[in-house]
Amino acid sequence: MAKRFLVPISPGRPFSSLLWALLLLALPGCLASSGPVFTQLTAAPEKPMCRIAVLPLLNHTDFIQGGTIFYRIFMAELNQRPGFTVIQEGDIRAIYRQLRINPRSAPSHEQTLVLADRLKADALISGEIITMRENRGAKETKPVLAVNLTLTPAGADKPMLTTYHRRSGEDYRKIMHFGLVNTMTSLAALVADEILDLWQAHGLTPCAS
Amino acid sequence: MARNAVQSPLLLDGDAAARPWGAVIISRLQLALILAAWALLLNLTAALPAEAITVAVFPVDDLSSAFNSLSQPMTEFLREEMARRGLTVISSQELDDFMTRHRLRMLGALPSEDITAAKAELKADLILLGSVCQKDDQAGALGLMVSLIRTADAQTIWASDKGLSLLDGQRLLGIHAPTGMGDLQGELERELFASWPPDDRLAAQLAEAQTGPEAGGGLEVDSVFFTPKRVRPGQEVKCTIHFKVKQNLAQARVFIRVGSRIHMATTDDGVYYQVSWIGSDDKNGRPLKVAMNAPDGRIINGIWSGAPQDAEYPVSLILEWPSGRQDETYVGSYVVDSVPPSVRFKSPEGPKVEGLAAFRSELALPVCLDRPEPIGQWEFLVTGPGDLIVARDQGTGQPPAELIWRGQNQRGARADPGRYLARLKVWDLAGNLGEAQEAVLLLPAQPGANLTLAGQPNQPLKARLTPRDGMRITYWRLELWSADNVSLGTFEGQGLPARFALPRLDPTRSPGGIGCLLVVRDALGDESRRKIADLQALTKTKTGGGTGKAAPKAQGGWQSDF
């Protein structure tokens, strides 16, 4: 009785093996596409949110300036989207000084009301950096970033959207080294972009530009 | 015919050859004039040339190192980049003077006030702010973020961020791959400024500057203090507001909005403002005193009675200018609270004696606030007979989740067994008092049992074993031993009281006397034992501490067994 092979040997096998190998290599890039985890706590307000204030983010990582790095990249990404007026970081810090709020601590609910009023903001974005690290290998650097951001309409009692998002540079690998994100700056920009895409789909409405 | 083939289509009459030469010349002059006028018109409406746009490149914040670090190479790189794009860059010296004048110490961010000041003082149309997000020579990584701000209205009109690594540049056979930070910087420059707006769009964006409403006449609230912030009805609230205005404040009328009521402040001497306020509970309110005693920073002191309803009352400062414009800014809120905190002890776990939580070593009393709220201070008391304070503890803030009393008095000595009252007082931030109490029973330190023997000499003894305190005994054992360590019998059981007959004790068989070991365990899990050297001496004698007759010294006391 002849042996039964699971994969029949045929002249075309080397080619199909190569295809299988390529597919297996590409698989991690396809699977690792987990999006942000978000919760919508309240309905979106009817009027658009034109003026946005991004409050200093809390940094729970070993990156000394991790909070500021993501903060400024997030502001840059938000500025690139039409229809939003992003309040200057200097204005926000000035009011933090006036209200004696430590930028390394979260403002109280009442302080956020005052901040929104003084900045004439339509919405406030606050949050924290949970993970920011670079795993360095011999031939590649794998940045990892996890953030938790909250969008609160001005004057609201509770946030409208909260989002936890964790990404690694490895998540964007397509095949071999292609697609890999090697810098924290690029990863932060991608994370910020993905969160803003999600928020715009769930009630962060810009003004007509 | 060849001439006709190239003649201008603007000529109305297509047959030029049929017209005189003079007419043709005039037509061409007209055409030239039209073209010149058209060109002039286009020139007038065209965007400003890039050289006419002035940009101030502020020092770049290096976030890859310590807080507020300057990156001089990146600052120079951005300055050169702006000049290469045809913009007029303000000199470093002018910029340094401006920063010194305005006490600008923080890099990477500017308040709107200073941005608009840069337009007035530096004649800058734009401000470029940059931050180095990442710079790692060892790993070969560079990240930069830049934003372009329009000084006319302090709006960001363009922003970009980019991070690059030498690893990103891996190419087939390594051709044209970046090899060092210099190559990386060149590539970063290309990618970072890839979305830079063209000159005409930049000029159009500058022209779009909106001169929005004047920002509150320059009203700037520096600080707000409420003392206290939570009050009981009728209690005074003092609010101190420190604010500045750019315009002459004497021209403005000052109002305070408390909740839905607006009170106008009037002044006699320009220093003190007063306002009368009648509370909605028909009691005469106290006048609101508004003091303004600083030339540049105004101070308002307001005193008014707490409103009668329990609620949070928002407070706003309103300035009304002669032009009719009103500047209102929310300054905070205070809370009127008349409800005392509802606090109680959760029923302690474990067996009870006479319906009371009983314990020997320590009692944990879990504290529960039925309506969670901020607590200002708390006090825990244990009182004995005659309201005598036995133990005391106190603190500020929220009370502990569990209060533990180890049965000790304030001197650290063990308190006498008996009934006590554990009391917890809590005061919320408005000073309302809430109280919880629980009666507890302190038992002797060890469980014990009273052993009574009755009988005639040379007759079997009748033994009666009863619990020493109210705590339920779950196990007991009585062992009889001769003086030479021969077991004469063992009796055991669950629960007391118990009656049983001991075998007849023959002193001749045990000339040294018959000893006894009594072991008891109670429902709390505590176990103790007691040795009685001579059981005969105990006949008609009760054993156990604190119940009348003292046990013979040779018999010893109860010992904890653990």
Side-chain angles (χ1 to χ4, degrees), chain B residues 205-529:
Chain B
Q205 282 181 313
L206 277 177
E208 279 173 11
Q210 294 171 355
T211 49
E214 194 180 344
L219 172 61
E220 192 178 298
V221 178
D222 276 346
S223 63
V224 180
F225 293 106
F226 289 92
T227 46
K229 195 166 173 57
R230 299 178 77 97
V231 293
R232 295 190 301 279
Q235 193 182 353
E236 282 184 357
V237 177
K238 185 177 180 185
C239 176
T240 304
I241 308 170
H242 185 201
F243 72 97
K244 288 183 278 194
V245 283
K246 283 182 182 169
Q247 298 179 12
N248 182 11
L249 187 66
Q251 296 175 352
R253 293 194 299 169
V254 181
F255 297 88
I256 297 287
R257 186 202 294 273
V258 181
S260 58
R261 294 168 179 270
I262 296 177
H263 312 290
M264 191 179 80
T266 56
T267 182
D268 294 331
D269 51 8
V271 177
Y272 288 98
Y273 282 67
Q274 286 197 340
V275 62
S276 296
W277 176 56
I278 308 295
S280 59
D281 56 353
D282 294 326
K283 292 176 184 172
N284 286 332
R286 292 171 184 273
L288 171 62
K289 293 178 182 172
V290 182
M292 313 189 74
N293 55 5
D296 53 347
R298 314 295 192 195
I299 294 175
I300 286 185
N301 280 310
I303 300 173
W304 62 90
S305 295
Q309 293 87 11
D310 287 7
E312 182 168 357
Y313 289 86
V315 178
S316 303
L317 172 68
I318 304 172
L319 298 185
E320 188 183 78
W321 300 92
S323 62
R325 196 191 70 223
Q326 284 188 0
D327 299 328
E328 178 168 358
T329 187
Y330 173 72
V331 292
S333 65
Y334 71 101
V335 176
V336 177
D337 181 6
S338 64
V339 181
S342 174
V343 65
R344 62 183 169 86
F345 288 119
K346 282 186 192 167
S347 183
E349 293 178 355
K352 290 188 165 44
V353 176
E354 299 165 12
L356 303 180
F359 69 105
R360 296 189 192 281
S361 54
E362 65 177 33
L363 178 71
L365 291 162
V367 177
C368 176
L369 279 168
D370 291 325
R371 187 168 45 89
E373 64 174 305
I375 298 296
Q377 56 178 327
W378 56 271
E379 185 179 32
F380 177 56
L381 294 168
V382 178
T383 54
D387 279 345
L388 190 69
I389 294 174
V390 178
R392 184 179 202 165
D393 194 6
Q394 58 189 359
T396 54
Q398 297 300 116
E402 202 171 62
L403 289 161
I404 294 173
W405 183 41
R406 294 198 163 85
Q408 295 171 326
N409 59 23
Q410 295 193 75
R411 295 190 303 274
R414 185 168 175 84
D416 294 331
R419 287 175 68 122
Y420 292 89
L421 192 64
R423 297 165 66 190
L424 174 66
K425 293 180 180 177
V426 294
W427 289 267
D428 63 15
L429 295 179
N432 296 302
L433 171 64
E435 198 167 355
Q437 58 183 31
E438 177 88 21
V440 299
L441 184 66
L442 176 63
L443 301 170
Q446 297 93 24
N450 296 322
L451 177 62
T452 313
L453 297 176
Q456 298 299 320
N458 299 325
Q459 292 292 319
L461 287 173
K462 289 179 181 173
R464 185 166 184 266
L465 206 53
T466 55
R468 188 172 56 165
D469 48 48
M471 184 54 65
R472 186 165 57 87
I473 298 295
T474 56
Y475 173 76
W476 62 268
R477 186 174 76 247
L478 188 143
E479 299 171 8
L480 296 175
W481 295 85
S482 68
D484 50 354
N485 286 335
V486 176
S487 175
L488 302 176
T490 300
F491 303 85
E492 60 182 2
Q494 294 174 337
L496 289 180
R499 290 172 184 274
F500 52 94
L502 295 179
R504 191 168 66 85
L505 304 176
D506 185 0
T508 57
R509 287 178 57 191
S510 181
I514 296 170
C516 168
L517 176 67
L518 185 57
V519 179
V520 293
R521 188 191 306 145
D522 67 6
L524 294 169
D526 294 320
E527 188 172 304
S528 63
R529 59 180 56 210

Side-chain angles (χ1 to χ4, degrees), chain B residues 112-132:
Chain B
S112 298
E113 191 181 343
D114 293 318
I115 293 170
T116 48
K119 180 173 180 62
E121 296 176 27
L122 297 173
K123 310 294 179 208
D125 300 309
L126 298 167
I127 282 176
L128 188 74
L129 292 177
S131 302
V132 177

Side-chain angles (χ1 to χ4, degrees), chain A residues 58-70 129 131-136 143-145 183-185, chain B residues 63-65 133-136:
Chain A
L58 309 183
N59 180 25
H60 303 307
T61 72
D62 292 335
F63 261 67
I64 300 170
Q65 303 255 45
T68 314
I69 290 170
F70 185 78
I129 314 297
T131 309
M132 186 183 267
R133 65 168 187 270
E134 287 183 323
N135 300 330
R136 286 188 187 167
V144 181
L145 178 66
T183 60
M184 185 56 76
T185 310
Chain B
L63 299 174
S64 66
S65 56
C133 303
Q134 195 170 9
K135 187 173 184 298
D136 191 337

Side-chain angles (χ1 to χ4, degrees), chain A residues 65 69 72 77 80 85 88 91 93 98 100 110 114 117-118 134 136 139-141 182-186 189, chain B residues 61 66-67 106-107 111-112 131 134 136 154-156 159 161 163 167-168 221-223 229 330 332-333:
Chain A
Q65 303 255 45
I69 290 170
R72 289 192 181 157
E77 292 297 322
Q80 288 169 29
T85 301
Q88 296 294 334
D91 290 337
R93 290 191 183 273
Q98 287 170 16
R100 291 173 173 78
E110 190 187 347
V114 176
D117 183 78
R118 302 251 184 103
E134 287 183 323
R136 286 188 187 167
K139 290 190 175 176
E140 57 188 20
T141 304
N182 294 302
T183 60
M184 185 56 76
T185 310
S186 304
Chain B
D61 189 9
F67 175 73
M106 188 172 171
L107 303 176
S112 298
S131 302
Q134 195 170 9
D136 191 337
Q155 297 297 316
T156 303
D161 56 83
L167 298 168
D168 294 335
V221 178
D222 276 346
S223 63
K229 195 166 173 57
Y330 173 72
S333 65

Side-chain angles (χ1 to χ4, degrees), chain B residues 47-55 87 119 123-127 148-155 157 196-211:
Chain B
L48 288 167
E51 301 83 45
I53 301 174
T54 312
V55 62
L87 275 68
K119 180 173 180 62
K123 310 294 179 208
D125 300 309
L126 298 167
I127 282 176
L148 191 66
I149 302 166
R150 185 167 57 199
T151 54
D153 58 356
Q155 297 297 316
I157 57 170
W196 180 264
D199 288 352
D200 55 342
R201 197 171 135 216
L202 194 61
Q205 282 181 313
L206 277 177
E208 279 173 11
Q210 294 171 355
T211 49

